Amino acid sequence: MIESAVSSTDTEVAIAAALSGADVVRARYRTLHSRIDKGGGDFATDVDVAAEEAVLGVLRAARPGDAVHGEEGGRRGAVGAAREWLVDPLCGTLNYAVGSHLVAVNVALRGGPAAVADPFGGDVFLTDGGSAWTRSGAGHDVPASPTGDSRLVEVNLDPPFPNAPAFRAVGLLAHPGFVEHFRPRVVSTSLALAWVAAGRRAAYVTDGADLAESVHFAAGIALCRAAGCVVTGIDGAPLGAGGRGLVAAADAETHELLMSMVTGGESGESRESRGCEAGGGSGIRC
């Protein structure tokens, strides 16, 4: 918890908030919890809700004038607030529900600092909006150093798939070039983005729309950007309104290789069905 809310920086607030949520997630692990159905196979648990309340408690104490958009509770705070925090209190709910440790607590100030806490690994991945670090459980800060050396690529296979049939993540895994250059890992949690920033993964790929504004991805994207990773949509375009998916790569070489498979993997039949033609740059023009 923050000792002085008045003197704390936004980075310190993000860290404290993420850690407060992580404490709840860790303490409630493998205890009986209820499920809250969200439809379409998606659900939350009472642990998601409790962790979000813990995060909100820190944010309200430290930044009472800010708005907060939590995955479970929606947007709270002043309607006209100039600043907004994006909170995913338990990213990887399904993993958690079946006893997996591959989860994270994400807290990001829109356009500013962010923190991703690993409740079980003990690390906090953080950025002040300009640089990124990994803080170990012992309190040691190590500058983020992304690298593609591991050749491990996290691929999110969870629905929805708004860009199918033009892009299918499962098709990327079957691409001959992917097998030649990379090895897949499937975590399906934004903890993977923090790993890209920290040099533990070469890249992360997912479908989706406007992910930069998502409580699930905002903190991880902020980390990757601050660490110097290459972050675009699956079409190679910058993230933003109307964006298509996400490719976060440790370096330009890794990003270029993945984009050649993503944009070059669509069949001519699929392109014709969408009224598309071959183009330069990202490879597909519609």
Side-chain angles (χ1 to χ4, degrees):
M1 186 61 68
I2 304 175
E3 294 182 2
S4 174
V6 176
S7 61
S8 299
T9 66
D10 287 333
T11 305
E12 292 168 332
V13 171
I15 294 168
L19 285 174
S20 69
D23 286 343
V24 173
V25 170
R26 188 170 51 254
R28 298 282 298 276
Y29 181 65
R30 287 195 180 280
T31 61
L32 183 64
H33 50 260
S34 59
R35 293 195 180 196
I36 304 164
D37 183 29
K38 294 183 175 182
D42 191 17
F43 67 93
T45 71
D46 56 336
V47 180
D48 296 67
V49 175
E52 183 164 301
E53 287 302 319
V55 171
L56 288 175
V58 172
L59 296 178
R60 285 170 177 158
R63 299 292 185 267
D66 292 355
V68 179
H69 188 170
E71 180 184 7
E72 308 309 331
R75 195 177 192 276
R76 312 182 203 185
V79 175
R83 294 163 29 114
E84 183 180 42
W85 295 84
L86 303 174
V87 177
D88 186 350
L90 178 48
C91 187
T93 299
L94 178 57
N95 285 346
Y96 186 78
V98 298
S100 170
H101 285 182
L102 294 175
V103 300
V105 178
N106 305 333
V107 178
L109 175 63
R110 189 187 297 277
V116 174
D118 180 347
F120 301 101
D123 293 329
V124 180
F125 306 91
L126 59 114
T127 175
D128 59 5
S131 301
W133 300 269
T134 300
R135 177 169 296 178
S136 69
H140 302 300
D141 288 352
V142 177
S145 182
T147 173
D149 290 349
S150 72
R151 315 316 294 166
L152 297 177
V153 176
E154 296 285 349
V155 182
N156 186 0
L157 300 177
D158 288 341
F161 307 116
N163 294 297
F167 171 75
R168 295 185 187 276
V170 68
L172 176 63
L173 298 180
H175 193 291
F178 189 94
V179 176
E180 179 182 355
H181 295 285
F182 302 110
R183 290 293 178 268
R185 291 294 182 272
V186 184
V187 170
S188 297
T189 173
S190 57
L191 182 62
L193 280 170
W195 289 345
V196 175
R200 302 179 187 179
R201 293 292 189 271
Y204 176 83
V205 181
T206 185
D207 200 351
D210 196 14
L211 298 183
E213 299 297 314
S214 167
V215 296
H216 301 288
F217 295 96
I221 289 171
L223 283 168
C224 285
R225 284 174 166 164
C229 301
V230 182
V231 181
T232 71
I234 57 173
D235 53 0
L239 300 183
R244 298 177 59 198
L246 171 66
V247 178
D251 51 45
E253 179 186 3
T254 300
H255 185 267
E256 184 178 357
L257 273 171
L258 285 170
M259 290 307 302
S260 70
M261 300 170 204
V262 170
T263 59
E266 183 179 7
S267 69
E269 181 180 353
S270 295
R271 288 195 296 270
E272 290 173 5
S273 68
R274 296 192 303 117
C276 301
E277 58 180 323
S282 63
I284 303 293
R285 181 169 63 246
C286 300

